[in-house]
Amino acid sequence: MNIIKDFFISLGFDFKRNLESREVFFEDSSELNKKIENSFYFYENPNQTNTSFYLITTELSSSEIESVRKFIWNESKADLVFYTLKPSNNSTLFREDFILELHYAKATPKVNIKETKIDSFYASQRDLEKINNISKWQFDSGAFWLNYNI
């Protein structure tokens, strides 16, 4: 989804230098493999601030999210993960092209995903202040954790 890539570029991330595409293979799901092809990115924070994350730029079903959670947890490289959701069809005053949900990635997949959710971000002006909390400098400096008191 180019709009999500553009969104992260506006936050200071670079898809050529520090937000790298990852090839991941799930033996039991060729459909999931096709879905995440060119949609699975990893940001490895070089500053040891425990803010490395995965970004998934395509919407996944709940069972697909569970498979991804298991992979990320077993790999144990990321502290966080962003999942892409489409807004519900409920009418709002704001136009939103997507919603990003931020989750803690170090929790075992046995924990309910609702308990791992840190925040959600609408791609609109109404979340501009919250969106600043996920700009690249916040991850690089470690200030990200100050914003969430986790």
Side-chain angles (χ1 to χ4, degrees):
M1 233 184 176
N2 285 338
I3 191 165
I4 295 172
K5 288 176 92 172
D6 291 343
F7 179 75
F8 271 82
I9 290 168
S10 74
L11 294 172
F13 295 95
D14 186 332
F15 281 83
K16 292 180 181 165
R17 283 190 267 154
N18 54 35
L19 199 46
E20 301 169 356
S21 180
R22 287 283 168 104
E23 288 186 31
V24 180
F25 181 74
F26 294 92
E27 287 184 24
D28 56 343
S29 183
S30 60
E31 185 178 318
L32 178 56
N33 289 327
K34 287 178 191 174
K35 227 176 178 181
I36 63 170
E37 187 176 357
N38 300 316
S39 297
F40 207 82
Y41 298 91
F42 183 66
Y43 175 71
E44 185 169 10
N45 192 317
N47 299 326
Q48 302 297 320
T49 57
N50 296 324
T51 54
S52 295
F53 65 84
Y54 274 105
L55 168 65
I56 295 129
T57 60
T58 191
E59 189 174 20
L60 302 175
S61 70
S62 57
S63 65
E64 292 168 334
I65 287 174
E66 288 307 311
S67 295
V68 169
R69 284 183 69 200
K70 288 176 186 173
F71 167 80
I72 291 172
W73 183 73
N74 283 322
E75 184 190 50
S76 193
K77 289 184 180 178
D79 304 289
L80 306 160
V81 59
F82 287 95
Y83 296 107
T84 303
L85 307 172
K86 291 193 173 144
S88 65
N89 290 335
N90 296 341
S91 176
T92 65
L93 297 174
F94 303 96
R95 181 184 178 284
E96 293 136 359
D97 296 313
F98 63 90
I99 301 168
L100 282 175
E101 274 197 359
L102 175 61
H103 289 263
Y104 185 62
K106 296 283 186 181
T108 175
K110 293 180 181 181
V111 171
N112 187 310
I113 192 163
K114 291 178 183 177
E115 295 178 41
T116 68
K117 183 177 172 183
I118 297 171
D119 209 344
S120 59
F121 308 89
Y122 292 86
S124 69
Q125 285 295 109
R126 77 171 173 179
D127 273 354
L128 202 52
E129 189 174 314
K130 282 175 48 174
I131 289 168
N132 183 48
N133 291 340
I134 59 171
S135 61
K136 184 176 181 295
W137 76 266
Q138 297 273 7
F139 286 93
D140 289 350
S141 69
F144 167 84
W145 293 113
L146 297 173
N147 295 323
Y148 289 100
N149 298 321
I150 296 176

